[in-house]
Structures are given as C-alpha cells and as structure tokens.
Amino acid sequence: MYVIREDMKILHTLDDLHKQYEEKFGERFIAFNYVDFPGTREEGSSAQQYKEALIEALKKDEPTWIESHRYEFSDH
C-alpha cells in the first residue's frame, strides 16, 4: 500500500503510542489502512483519524476492536 507523504509524517510519530498500546493490552492496535480511516475535511486526514483512534483506545481499560474492511472489495 502506498501512503501519501502527509500521512506518513504522522504515522512515523506513532511508534511510542503503538508500544504503549501493546504493553497495556498485550496485542497490537489495528494496522493503518485508508479503507478503515478514509479521512474527511471535517475529521482530518486518514493518518490523523488513525492517530486519534489510537489515543482514544489508550484511554480505555480494555482493548479496542475495530473491524477492518480492507478485504471487502477483493473478489479473490
């Protein structure tokens, strides 16, 4: 998957948050994908939406389950 430069700049800053999530819950947070975090003018870029979802997940006392839709468009 190609990630646009603006989103990559945000995603590169999330290493510590990913480590915190994995240490807290013993599992990884959902991987970034444009299908799951489409980005809008009102809500911000895709990577910004992803970052906010990760921050919100860290505030909770149990793991966050986000169902990925990345394979719904594949017919094979």
Side-chain angles (χ1 to χ4, degrees), residues 25-58:
F25 299 116
E27 61 186 50
R28 292 182 177 186
F29 191 67
I30 186 174
F32 173 77
N33 190 291
Y34 283 109
V35 173
D36 300 322
F37 302 93
T40 64
R41 287 184 185 195
E42 295 81 26
E43 296 178 15
S45 72
S46 297
Q48 186 62 39
Q49 285 181 344
Y50 180 79
K51 179 180 179 179
E52 290 170 8
L54 178 55
I55 290 170
E56 287 300 313
L58 280 167

